[in-house]
Amino acid sequence: MSALTPQSDTPTPTTDKITQAAMETIYLCKFRVSMDGEWLCLRELDDISLTPDPEPSQEDSWEDLTDLVEQLRDDTEDPNYVMANERMNLMNMAKLSIKGLIESALNLGRTLDSDYAPLQQFFVVMEHCLKHGLKAKKTFLGQNKSFWGPLELVEKFVPEAGEITASVKDLPGLKTPVGRGRAWLRLALMQKKLSEYMKALINRREILSEFYEANALMMEEEGAIIAGLLVGLNVIDANFCMKGEDLDSQVGVIDFSMYLKDGSSSKGSEGDGQITAILDQKNYVEELNRHLSATVNNLQAKVDALEKSNTKLTEELAVANNRIITLQEEMERVKEESSYILESNRKVNKQDRTADGHALTEARKQLKEETQLRLDVEKELEMQIGMRQEMELAMKMLEKDVCEKQDALVVLRQQLDDLRALKLELSFKLQSSDLGMKQKSELNSRLEEKTSQMAATIKLLEQSEKDLVKQAKTLNSAANKLIQKPH
């Protein structure tokens, strides 16, 4: 920026103060981060001119310039304006970082690690987003700002995040809350659940109000937009070694040079549509593969169950088919016999109608019997067909029952494995307790032997004491006798 001095040869003190104030104000709001397609633009705000007119003949011109500078300073010093500008800048930087990371990762075609520059810049931008508008907590060491507090609460809303939180707390090299928050972001990205966790956190704004200001990024619409953009990172495979990385002392500085537009970057917009189409196709194919794999597993289980039941059902169907065939053959035979009888009766009636009246009645009776037998056979055939339909229905119900029993069998096998493990553990504890009891019994036997030996020694000592007392008495009596003898 060029030197900001008035055109007069000898600047007045008022002119110097106005120029200095204007330069400070322009420094605070000189640039705004915005996006031009897929590139970062730092646009300069030249709303006022700091050089006076070539011929400042009146003092009113300097007063007007002073009013403009003071108005601009008031606008830029407004906390809401500054926070809104910062939110917009961070959201645009997050868009560029996420988009650049996805494109570079797809072009790279391998698993990303912690040394990958676009991935490092993404974590730096996410750290700035989580730190925006963060309230300072007072401790005995002073004030402390850390985004680990809200991230630690995610496990209350999404139980799957409990594994990440426990892993972060168990890492030995992390000593500060900032390092734990950085490790949490990396593990969430590896788990491909960062977008889900951020959405769950943003939806609990009544809890976030304890950690963030009212106009912070996590409390406004920009935070929800960033959480939605993080869904695209699920196509990236990342792998980090958290034990050897020093996350406590890293300095998070955004490298704007990675996103500034240059002459060779105009070709990126042409392939933007192709990359978007490729990403959509990849997501569609992955989702289709998931559904197909689940369907194949279910069908395989059903086939295994049906193969067992079909063996029994085919045998039953074969028996039923044989029965139906025999019934049909019998019905055909009855039809032939009845037709033969009718023809014979007609011939007999033509030859001798008057003489064979009794035979005709018998033939009619026999015909009635045959027709009744035919009806019975047809009823039995209908019953067999109904039984076949019932068997098919029972087969379907049996397939369903087999599937349910197979699921129950899997659960029972798992319970059996748990019981076996518990039995082994109890047997091990029982063996250890038996060994302890044996040791205690041996110790008790040794103590009893020692007590018996001590009792025997005590008896011997008592006997020896009695003998000594007797000897002492005899000695005393002998001494008394010697003393009593006259010399």
Side-chain angles (χ1 to χ4, degrees):
M1 187 170 61
S2 61
L4 304 174
T5 56
Q7 297 293 328
S8 60
D9 295 332
T10 58
T12 60
T14 306
T15 312
D16 295 335
K17 290 180 180 179
I18 292 171
T19 304
Q20 184 178 3
M23 290 177 66
E24 293 174 356
T25 304
I26 293 299
Y27 177 75
L28 290 174
C29 61
K30 186 173 179 61
F31 296 97
R32 177 186 291 275
V33 177
S34 61
M35 294 179 63
D36 183 10
E38 63 182 41
W39 297 99
L40 174 68
C41 294
L42 301 178
R43 295 181 179 175
E44 186 172 358
L45 304 178
D46 293 328
D47 294 333
I48 63 171
S49 177
L50 299 179
T51 58
D53 295 332
E55 294 179 359
S57 59
Q58 298 179 358
E59 295 180 359
D60 293 336
S61 61
W62 287 105
E63 292 177 0
D64 293 337
L65 180 59
T66 305
D67 293 336
L68 288 173
V69 172
E70 292 294 330
Q71 184 179 1
L72 184 59
R73 174 186 284 182
D74 293 336
D75 292 337
T76 55
E77 289 180 354
D78 186 11
N80 294 327
Y81 173 81
V82 174
M83 294 291 282
N85 192 12
E86 290 176 352
R87 290 199 306 270
M88 184 61 66
N89 292 344
L90 288 173
M91 186 183 71
N92 290 329
M93 285 304 304
K95 287 181 180 178
L96 290 171
S97 177
I98 293 169
K99 188 174 183 180
L101 178 58
I102 293 173
E103 292 177 358
S104 61
L106 292 178
N107 293 328
L108 188 62
R110 64 176 178 84
T111 303
L112 305 182
D113 53 9
S114 59
D115 296 331
Y116 193 59
L119 190 60
Q120 293 177 357
Q121 285 299 306
F122 165 73
F123 287 125
V124 171
V125 173
M126 286 300 300
E127 183 176 347
H128 281 275
C129 293
L130 291 171
K131 284 183 177 179
H132 183 260
L134 195 65
K135 292 181 180 179
K137 290 188 177 181
K138 294 182 180 180
T139 61
F140 64 94
L141 296 176
Q143 293 184 350
N144 183 18
K145 286 186 177 181
S146 174
F147 56 93
W148 168 242
L151 295 181
E152 193 176 5
L153 297 176
V154 177
E155 62 178 347
K156 295 183 179 179
F157 316 132
V158 184
E160 296 177 2
E163 298 179 0
I164 297 178
T165 306
S167 300
V168 170
K169 291 180 180 179
D170 293 334
L171 288 174
L174 299 178
K175 299 180 181 179
T176 61
V178 176
R180 295 188 184 95
R182 291 169 177 169
W184 190 93
L185 290 175
R186 284 158 172 77
L187 292 175
L189 183 63
M190 289 174 60
Q191 200 180 15
K192 296 185 179 181
K193 293 292 184 68
L194 183 58
S195 175
E196 182 181 352
Y197 296 159
M198 294 300 292
K199 287 180 181 178
L201 189 62
I202 289 172
N203 291 333
R204 304 299 193 281
R205 294 186 179 178
E206 66 278 2
I207 298 176
L208 287 179
S209 60
E210 299 177 3
F211 300 93
Y212 291 97
E213 300 291 344
N215 51 3
L217 184 139
M218 296 292 289
M219 301 291 291
E220 295 293 337
E221 186 180 2
E222 289 82 359
I225 293 173
I226 293 174
L229 292 173
L230 293 174
V231 178
L233 297 178
N234 293 336
V235 301
I236 295 176
D237 295 326
N239 189 12
F240 304 103
C241 183
M242 309 299 296
K243 293 183 179 180
E245 192 172 0
D246 186 11
L247 299 176
D248 293 327
S249 60
Q250 288 184 0
V251 179
V253 179
I254 300 175
D255 187 7
F256 293 99
S257 62
M258 296 179 62
Y259 311 106
L260 290 174
K261 187 175 183 180
D262 54 2
S264 62
S265 64
S266 60
K267 298 180 181 179
S269 59
E270 297 177 358
D272 192 10
Q274 296 178 358
I275 293 173
T276 304
I278 291 170
L279 286 176
D280 293 338
Q281 291 176 2
K282 183 179 180 181
N283 293 330
Y284 174 74
V285 170
E286 288 180 353
E287 189 66 23
L288 185 61
N289 286 332
R290 291 193 192 98
H291 287 296
L292 288 174
S293 62
T295 307
V296 167
N297 292 329
N298 293 328
L299 291 175
Q300 187 64 34
K302 290 181 179 179
V303 166
D304 294 336
L306 289 174
E307 284 178 355
K308 296 179 180 178
S309 60
N310 282 335
T311 55
K312 296 180 180 179
L313 293 174
T314 50
E315 294 177 356
E316 294 177 357
L317 286 174
V319 173
N321 290 327
N322 294 328
R323 179 64 177 169
I324 290 169
I325 291 169
T326 54
L327 290 173
Q328 288 177 353
E329 292 176 354
E330 187 176 357
M331 187 173 67
E332 292 293 334
R333 183 178 59 79
V334 170
K335 285 181 180 180
E336 291 176 356
E337 291 178 355
S338 62
S339 62
Y340 176 74
I341 291 169
L342 287 172
E343 290 178 357
S344 62
N345 288 330
R346 287 175 184 176
K347 291 178 180 180
V348 169
N349 288 329
K350 286 181 181 179
Q351 293 177 359
D352 191 7
R353 293 180 180 178
T354 58
D356 296 334
H358 183 68
L360 181 62
T361 55
E362 290 181 357
R364 287 178 179 176
K365 290 181 181 179
Q366 189 176 1
L367 180 61
K368 288 181 180 179
E369 291 178 356
E370 293 293 336
T371 52
Q372 186 65 33
L373 181 61
R374 180 180 176 183
L375 291 175
D376 293 338
V377 170
E378 288 180 353
K379 287 182 181 180
E380 188 173 359
L381 181 61
E382 290 178 356
M383 290 176 63
Q384 291 294 331
I385 293 171
M387 288 176 64
R388 183 176 180 179
Q389 293 176 355
E390 290 178 357
M391 286 176 66
E392 291 178 353
L393 181 61
M395 179 180 175
K396 293 180 180 179
M397 295 181 68
L398 183 62
E399 290 176 359
K400 184 177 179 181
D401 192 12
V402 167
C403 293
E404 293 177 355
K405 288 181 179 179
Q406 188 174 7
D407 295 335
L409 183 61
V410 172
V411 176
L412 291 173
R413 285 178 180 174
Q414 187 176 3
Q415 292 179 358
L416 182 62
D417 293 335
D418 296 336
L419 289 173
R420 287 176 179 174
L422 183 62
K423 182 179 179 181
L424 290 174
E425 186 178 357
L426 290 174
S427 63
F428 179 73
K429 290 183 179 180
L430 182 62
Q431 290 177 359
S432 61
S433 62
D434 291 337
L435 183 61
M437 289 294 294
K438 289 179 180 180
Q439 292 178 354
K440 288 181 181 180
S441 61
E442 291 177 357
L443 184 61
N444 287 328
S445 61
R446 291 177 183 176
L447 290 173
E448 288 177 357
E449 291 177 357
K450 289 183 178 180
T451 52
S452 60
Q453 292 177 0
M454 290 177 67
T457 52
I458 288 169
K459 288 180 181 180
L460 292 173
L461 290 173
E462 288 178 354
Q463 187 66 34
S464 61
E465 184 181 1
K466 289 179 181 179
D467 294 336
L468 290 173
V469 169
K470 288 180 181 179
Q471 291 178 2
K473 287 181 179 180
T474 54
L475 291 174
N476 286 327
S477 60
N480 289 326
K481 289 178 180 180
L482 290 174
I483 292 170
Q484 290 177 1
K485 285 181 181 181
H487 295 286

